[in-house]
Amino acid sequence: MNFRCYLVYSIFCFAFFQGTQPEEICGIFEEGKPGSLSCSTNIWNFVSLQPRIEINGEFLQFGSCDSAGNECSSQPGYLTKLETEPGSSRKKVTLYIDKVLRTMTRSRCYMDYRPLSGQDCTIVVYVKPSLPVCQPPVFSEDGTVSLLTCISNRVYPKGKCNFTLTDGKPAIASYLTVRAENKNSSSFAGDQEVTCRLSIPIARADEGIYRLRAEVFPDIEGIPDSAKVFAEQMAPLHLMATALYSTGENNHVFQFPMTGKLKIDVHITGNPPPNRILLKVSQDNSSSPVPVSSLEYSTTYNSTAGSDGGILTLVLSVGLEYGRDSFYSLELSNGIISPTQCEYNFFLNVSGVHINKPTCQPTVFTNQGASAIITCTSDRVHVKGKCHFTVMGSNSTIEMHATMTSLNKKSTTYPGDQEVTCQLLISITGAQEGMFWFRVGIIPDLPGVPDSAKIFADQIPGIDLSPIRLYKSDDTDHVFDFPLNGELKIDVHITGNPPPNRILLKVSQDNSSSPVPVSSLEYSTTYNSTAGSDGGILTLVLSVGLEYGRDSFYTLELSNGIISPTPCKYNFRVTGSKVHIHKPTCQTPEFTDQGTSVLLTCTSDRVYLQGTCDCTVIEEISEIQKKVSITTINSESKRYPGDQEVTCKIRVSITGTQKGSYRFRVAVSPDIPGVRDSFKVFADLIPRLDLSPSLLFDPDDKDHVVNFPKSGDLHIDLHVTGNPPPNRVLLTVRETASSSPVAVSSRDFNTSYVTTAGSVGGVLTLLLSRSLVADRDRFYALKLSNGVTGSTQFQYNFSVRESQDVKQEQVTEEKKLVFHIGLGVGAFGILLVLAVAIFFAARNCRKPKKDPHDGDYIMPCNPESIWSDGQWDSAGGTAQTEQPTDIDPSQDYVDIDAENKIRSPMEENIETLPMTASSTDSSVQLTSNDSKFTTDVVAIQGTPGVMINRSSATDSSVQRPTSSSGERSALSTDDRVSI
């Protein structure tokens, strides 16, 4: 080979191998995100250096720079920069791309419009996978593998998967198998949909909960972690070895049916379902079992929804030898490691020995409740049957009190077999309290029959034992009047099972002496149980044998033999013929003293001799208890001659009381020395008083600006809450926002209150007299109180704007003044002429003349003439004008006493706005003495508290307070500002 051929061959080989080597990767870019490409050279002078991008097989130019960096041009969406590589003398041109596209496949560097060798590279573009959605784990048909599937419907170019074990025993992690399947996405054109499949072999795996994390990422080498997407929610894999649902569900006895097939349902738990099933049989329980051919039995499994378990059904076929007893063992496994083997053992009776399950009757008490009997019956047992029982209660000592009896007789339903009746007799006396269950079983009475052949009743009979107790522990120490017919009937509510069987009545003439038993001839008892409960009513009847007219103290002792830490005793007192007390009845509480106190009246229409009253605040609040005063009034009873009627007047002061709900328990007792508190008779209905301070219904309903109407007075409605209604009011005014407030005279304003039906509150109406109209803005503050204290104080602020009517009246008056001056000048002359004429006419009437006949004076002219010498008084008089006096602003309220007088350090010429209270049988009426408004306060019988629910106005012509000029005008009910 000559030199030329060698040279050509060398060039060919170099070009071949150079072309087959893979290009370098320019970079891995996410589609639609920014990226950059670079070209570098050690040549310092060049006209243009640029990286071009291959799109659809053609390298396109998007920007370039010269060696000086003065000529750098870029297309829209691109930016070109000239840089010097750090630590070298090479110059580099970088093309910055706003959005990388998947059509960009390669990059090639050009200098002075010629490609540079060795700088071609591949552009790798990917799309980040969408969030994968994973399905719950499922098991293969044979149950040996768990399958988990996750799907991401968008990735480019292709997707890859990985699963990581985050919780569980790590040994299983080495057996995970992952497979990724890609196909065209149906939701995103041009992209791929990847399905990740995880296979977990579970044979010989440990029990437990395994949690896995799935991640999906583009199938590109060197893909960054930011391109990986993890599934958010993945159902855990729960592995549990097969086991019987209940340990007691074993060792059953089955009768082989005449059809030759036996169907047995076995309740099991485990996940996955059992996949290894083996049935073994032996002719007796001591010999080694042998496997049963799979042709002689079959199994099916149905899982139970919502649980890791189900029912395995075993069907035995006719291949089994009939007429021979057999012991079977069914072994179940799902491959999960378990410390114990799951075995279901049962006995198959095929030799003619038939046993039907016994049925049990409800437990009944006998021997006056001293014992109980449970009876169970099986209508078919071959040869004979024998009964067994097991105590399942918490206290096994009851077993010492129980004996079982087996009674066999010929079965009427199955000729040739026996009917077995099992009677379990339980002694109650001395037994502990508790709930006890008894499991009753029957077994053939044959030698060598194992206990596993027992047939148990489906229903487990039980007995609930509890000692006798009073239904309510405080239902004792009652007082009864012995009736005139000489027989007293008392009902005592008790609980306990069985009913009481030991009853003893004792009596003493006083509470300190030792009681003695009452003869059974003098009393009797009956007991009626309450349906659906362990209790009832014991009725005690005292006969005429008791001494009449003498007080006696009784104790009724009850027991049913069940051990109890405390005996049941019912104490009561019987009054012979004198001491009678009827329960008091209470009227609706009413407010008195202008709402500063509450009066509660309770009456008992029958008390022997005299009675005394007592009232207790149930809430045990010492503050309100100290404000309770009780007055007892005894009078002769009209209904029961010889006895007294007791009226309890209970007054509660409200002023300064905290807000809240207070209940009062009222009692009446005989006013006799030595009478115990237990003899008090309480009212059935407990009155309740609800107190709350006067407040605005809406705390933000304030700082309003209002105007006087064109005519009449200013009418403002305020929605307030509180019980009782407000009884003290103060109105102050300021000429400016910063000036000190002064009190407004009560002549210039008025208030009325109307309650809202069905609520503790109402509408307070404030009426400002027209005398308060001013030519400037004024700032008012209204304070209300009902004496109840709270965390906040009622204050309603409002301002009244400058009155436009005053300005208009001033202009009108000025015009009238000019007219009147002109008119007056013209009329002056006429009046002067008339005055002269009157003067001369009056001279003729200077002094009265004396009648010469009777001596009386004759008054020829007006008795009010200048000659009357003051001997004639005018009947009309002169209206006196009173000027309002400012109230000291330090005084918060105007208090109102019982005589409707003001009790305050204010001036005496300030009029008050009192409200008086008058009571009826069903209401309390609050009346404003000035405005003639009335308010009915009604309390519903049996409902706690005092509730205001209706109002009325007794006078539709409401009079305005006296103004500073002494005039009084009717208030306008049409011009109203409702706030």
Side-chain angles (χ1 to χ4, degrees):
M1 180 182 296
N2 56 21
F3 177 75
R4 180 178 295 179
C5 293
Y6 178 77
L7 180 61
V8 172
Y9 177 76
S10 299
I11 294 174
F12 172 78
C13 291
F14 175 78
F16 176 78
F17 288 106
Q18 184 71 19
T20 58
Q21 290 182 352
E23 290 181 345
E24 294 183 357
I25 295 178
C26 306
I28 301 175
F29 306 101
E30 183 176 356
E31 186 178 37
K33 298 296 179 66
S36 63
L37 300 172
S38 300
C39 292
S40 63
T41 180
N42 53 6
I43 299 175
W44 278 70
N45 294 315
F46 50 83
V47 177
S48 171
L49 180 62
Q50 57 190 245
R52 295 187 181 183
I53 302 175
E54 183 184 40
I55 299 177
N56 296 328
E58 181 179 1
F59 287 95
L60 302 179
Q61 176 182 341
F62 295 96
S64 65
C65 285
D66 62 358
S67 58
N70 296 325
E71 298 293 337
C72 288
S73 60
S74 305
Q75 295 185 13
Y78 300 85
L79 177 64
T80 309
K81 287 185 179 181
L82 177 66
E83 301 171 332
T84 301
E85 292 183 353
S88 68
S89 59
R90 297 177 65 87
K91 290 188 175 183
K92 179 174 70 173
V93 174
T94 302
L95 177 65
Y96 294 92
I97 308 169
D98 286 351
K99 293 182 179 180
V100 178
L101 305 176
R102 68 178 66 182
T103 55
M104 301 176 179
T105 55
R106 299 174 62 222
S107 175
R108 177 173 292 174
C109 294
Y110 283 77
M111 188 176 67
D112 295 339
Y113 307 102
R114 293 192 304 271
L116 295 177
S117 61
Q119 294 196 28
D120 289 5
C121 60
T122 301
I123 299 174
V124 178
V125 181
Y126 71 91
V127 174
K128 191 175 181 179
S130 62
L131 188 69
V133 178
C134 299
Q135 301 174 1
V138 297
F139 295 100
S140 60
E141 292 184 0
D142 58 2
T144 60
V145 177
S146 177
L147 303 175
L148 181 63
T149 302
C150 298
I151 299 176
S152 173
N153 64 353
R154 186 181 189 185
V155 67
Y156 180 84
K158 287 185 177 181
K160 196 173 182 180
C161 313
N162 188 30
F163 289 87
T164 306
L165 181 67
T166 61
D167 187 15
K169 297 185 178 180
I172 199 173
S174 59
Y175 300 102
L176 302 182
T177 302
V178 182
R179 186 174 78 255
E181 299 175 358
N182 286 273
K183 67 178 181 178
N184 293 333
S185 176
S186 59
S187 302
F188 300 94
D191 294 334
Q192 294 285 303
E193 177 183 296
V194 60
T195 300
C196 305
R197 302 187 186 279
L198 172 66
S199 300
I200 308 173
I202 60 176
R204 306 301 299 168
D206 291 316
E207 283 187 317
I209 297 177
Y210 296 84
R211 290 181 173 85
L212 298 148
R213 186 177 66 172
E215 58 180 342
V216 181
F217 50 90
D219 190 5
I220 298 173
E221 185 177 357
I223 191 73
D225 291 340
S226 61
K228 298 179 180 180
V229 179
F230 297 90
E232 290 184 349
Q233 295 181 350
M234 293 185 63
L237 174 62
H238 186 193
L239 298 181
M240 183 170 59
T242 302
L244 293 178
Y245 181 78
S246 173
T247 56
E249 189 173 340
N250 211 337
N251 298 322
H252 291 290
V253 176
F254 297 99
Q255 190 73 33
F256 202 90
M258 301 301 295
T259 58
K261 282 191 176 182
L262 177 63
K263 182 179 179 182
I264 301 174
D265 289 335
V266 183
H267 294 259
I268 60 175
T269 60
N271 201 30
N275 48 44
R276 301 177 186 177
I277 301 173
L278 180 61
L279 182 64
K280 296 181 178 180
V281 63
S282 63
Q283 297 307 317
D284 55 75
N285 207 18
S286 60
S287 60
S288 299
V290 295
V292 177
S293 171
S294 59
L295 300 176
E296 296 179 344
Y297 71 96
S298 62
T299 58
T300 56
Y301 179 78
N302 293 313
S303 60
T304 303
S307 66
D308 293 328
I311 298 176
L312 184 136
T313 301
L314 171 67
V315 179
L316 298 177
S317 66
V318 294
L320 296 176
E321 181 179 358
Y322 187 81
R324 193 171 181 185
D325 295 345
S326 302
F327 295 86
Y328 287 87
S329 176
L330 181 64
E331 298 179 0
L332 304 173
S333 175
N334 58 3
I336 306 301
I337 298 175
S338 174
T340 58
Q341 178 76 21
C342 177
E343 293 185 359
Y344 176 75
N345 302 312
F346 60 96
F347 175 74
L348 184 60
N349 189 329
V350 296
S351 59
V353 178
H354 302 278
I355 303 178
N356 288 354
K357 289 184 178 181
T359 57
C360 298
Q361 301 175 11
T363 305
V364 295
F365 292 101
T366 61
N367 299 330
Q368 292 78 41
S371 59
I373 290 181
I374 297 176
T375 303
C376 302
T377 302
S378 173
D379 60 356
R380 188 181 191 185
V381 176
H382 183 66
V383 188
K384 285 184 179 182
K386 186 169 58 177
C387 304
H388 294 266
F389 77 96
T390 304
V391 179
M392 301 180 66
S394 59
N395 191 346
S396 60
T397 57
I398 194 70
E399 189 171 357
M400 297 184 298
H401 301 266
T403 56
M404 176 67 77
T405 303
S406 302
L407 302 175
N408 285 270
K409 67 176 183 178
K410 294 181 179 180
S411 175
T412 57
T413 307
Y414 302 95
D417 291 334
Q418 294 286 306
E419 178 183 289
V420 179
T421 298
C422 305
Q423 285 190 345
L424 179 62
L425 181 63
I426 307 166
S427 177
I428 300 300
T429 304
Q432 293 285 342
E433 180 181 5
M435 183 69 190
F436 305 95
W437 290 271
F438 300 87
R439 195 178 187 192
V440 178
I442 297 178
I443 190 172
D445 192 6
L446 297 174
V449 175
D451 290 339
S452 59
K454 289 179 182 177
I455 299 295
F456 292 93
D458 289 334
Q459 295 180 347
I460 300 177
I463 181 173
D464 187 8
L465 300 180
S466 59
I468 300 298
R469 298 184 178 95
L470 292 177
Y471 183 74
K472 292 183 178 179
S473 58
D474 58 350
D475 186 16
T476 185
D477 296 326
H478 292 290
V479 178
F480 300 97
D481 288 338
F482 207 93
L484 296 177
N485 59 8
E487 192 172 79
L488 177 62
K489 183 178 179 181
I490 301 174
D491 289 335
V492 183
H493 294 258
I494 60 175
T495 62
N497 200 33
N501 48 37
R502 300 178 185 177
I503 301 174
L504 179 62
L505 181 63
K506 297 181 180 180
V507 64
S508 62
Q509 297 307 319
D510 56 75
N511 206 20
S512 58
S513 60
S514 299
V516 295
V518 178
S519 171
S520 59
L521 300 176
E522 295 180 341
Y523 72 95
S524 63
T525 58
T526 56
Y527 179 78
N528 293 314
S529 60
T530 303
S533 67
D534 291 332
I537 299 176
L538 184 134
T539 301
L540 171 66
V541 179
L542 298 178
S543 66
V544 295
L546 296 176
E547 182 178 358
Y548 187 79
R550 190 173 181 184
D551 294 352
S552 303
F553 297 84
Y554 291 86
T555 298
L556 181 65
E557 299 179 359
L558 304 173
S559 175
N560 58 1
I562 306 301
I563 297 176
S564 174
T566 57
C568 178
K569 292 183 179 182
Y570 176 79
N571 301 315
F572 62 96
R573 178 187 175 191
V574 177
T575 61
S577 61
K578 296 181 180 181
V579 181
H580 301 278
I581 304 178
H582 285 186
K583 290 184 178 180
T585 58
C586 296
Q587 301 177 11
T588 303
E590 57 181 354
F591 289 110
T592 61
D593 300 331
Q594 289 79 44
T596 60
S597 62
V598 169
L599 179 63
L600 174 63
T601 302
C602 300
T603 303
S604 173
D605 62 355
R606 188 181 193 187
V607 176
Y608 179 70
L609 296 182
Q610 286 189 341
T612 182
C613 303
D614 182 67
C615 178
T616 305
V617 181
I618 296 180
E619 282 70 18
E620 298 182 356
I621 300 177
S622 59
E623 175 194 2
I624 192 71
Q625 186 70 54
K626 294 177 182 178
K627 297 185 178 183
V628 177
S629 61
I630 305 173
T631 302
T632 303
I633 302 173
N634 284 271
S635 61
E636 185 175 353
S637 176
K638 298 179 181 179
R639 188 174 181 182
Y640 301 96
D643 291 335
Q644 294 287 305
E645 178 178 291
V646 179
T647 301
C648 305
K649 296 287 187 179
I650 302 167
R651 189 177 300 275
V652 184
S653 177
I654 293 178
T655 304
T657 302
Q658 291 288 340
K659 67 177 182 179
S661 180
Y662 305 97
R663 294 179 299 168
F664 303 91
R665 195 174 188 194
V666 180
V668 175
S669 60
D671 193 6
I672 301 174
V675 175
R676 296 182 302 165
D677 289 341
S678 60
F679 293 155
K680 289 180 180 178
V681 177
F682 293 89
D684 287 333
L685 295 178
I686 299 177
R688 192 176 81 178
L689 175 62
D690 292 324
L691 298 180
S692 58
S694 296
L695 296 174
L696 279 171
F697 180 76
D698 183 0
D700 297 329
D701 186 15
K702 58 184 178 180
D703 299 330
H704 292 282
V705 179
V706 298
N707 293 314
F708 262 91
K710 293 182 179 180
S711 63
D713 301 313
L714 178 60
H715 193 146
I716 301 175
D717 288 340
L718 301 179
H719 294 265
V720 300
T721 62
N723 199 34
N727 48 42
R728 290 185 285 176
V729 59
L730 175 65
L731 180 65
T732 61
V733 64
R734 292 178 295 164
E735 296 296 334
T736 63
S738 59
S739 61
S740 300
V742 294
V744 178
S745 173
S746 59
R747 293 190 181 93
D748 294 330
F749 76 97
N750 198 358
T751 58
S752 63
Y753 185 82
V754 180
T755 58
T756 302
S759 67
V760 182
V763 178
L764 183 133
T765 302
L766 172 65
L767 298 99
L768 297 184
S769 172
R770 197 158 187 84
S771 62
L772 296 178
V773 175
D775 57 354
R776 67 181 65 182
D777 293 352
R778 285 185 171 183
F779 303 90
Y780 290 85
L782 179 66
K783 294 184 178 181
L784 296 176
S785 175
N786 60 0
V788 181
T789 60
S791 59
T792 57
Q793 186 181 27
F794 182 100
Q795 180 167 330
Y796 173 75
N797 302 320
F798 65 98
S799 58
V800 179
R801 289 193 181 278
E802 172 187 356
S803 176
Q804 299 298 327
D805 295 340
V806 174
K807 289 186 175 180
Q808 185 65 31
E809 289 176 1
Q810 291 176 353
V811 174
T812 304
E813 291 297 331
E814 291 175 358
K815 292 180 180 180
K816 290 181 179 180
L817 180 61
V818 174
F819 173 75
H820 291 162
I821 291 174
L823 184 62
V825 172
F828 178 76
I830 298 173
L831 295 175
L832 181 61
V833 174
L834 293 175
V836 173
I838 294 172
F839 174 78
F840 285 102
R843 292 178 63 86
N844 298 324
C845 306
R846 287 187 174 181
K847 286 189 177 181
K849 298 180 181 180
K850 193 172 184 180
D851 192 331
H853 300 287
D854 55 10
D856 292 337
Y857 285 94
I858 300 173
M859 189 67 66
C861 299
N862 188 350
E864 293 187 55
S865 68
I866 60 177
W867 299 108
S868 63
D869 293 334
Q871 297 178 9
W872 190 275
D873 293 332
S874 173
T878 303
Q880 298 296 323
T881 301
E882 295 186 31
Q883 299 296 330
T885 303
D886 292 339
I887 298 177
D888 183 5
S890 64
Q891 178 66 27
D892 287 342
Y893 299 102
V894 177
D895 292 337
I896 304 171
D897 62 8
E899 289 75 28
N900 302 322
K901 302 297 184 180
I902 300 176
R903 292 184 285 103
S904 69
M906 304 179 185
E907 298 296 336
E908 293 181 358
N909 62 346
I910 300 177
E911 294 185 7
T912 62
L913 301 178
M915 292 185 179
T916 59
S918 61
S919 64
T920 63
D921 292 339
S922 61
S923 68
V924 175
Q925 190 176 75
L926 299 180
T927 306
S928 173
N929 296 338
D930 191 23
S931 63
K932 303 302 181 183
F933 276 83
T934 62
T935 301
D936 289 343
V937 183
V938 178
I940 301 173
Q941 182 70 17
T943 302
V946 176
M947 182 175 292
I948 302 174
N949 64 2
R950 65 173 182 266
S951 63
S952 64
T954 61
D955 189 0
S956 60
S957 177
V958 181
Q959 296 298 319
R960 189 187 71 184
T962 304
S963 67
S964 60
S965 62
E967 299 176 352
R968 300 180 70 89
S969 60
L971 295 176
S972 172
T973 58
D974 297 330
D975 299 326
R976 174 175 298 190
V977 178
S978 181
I979 300 175

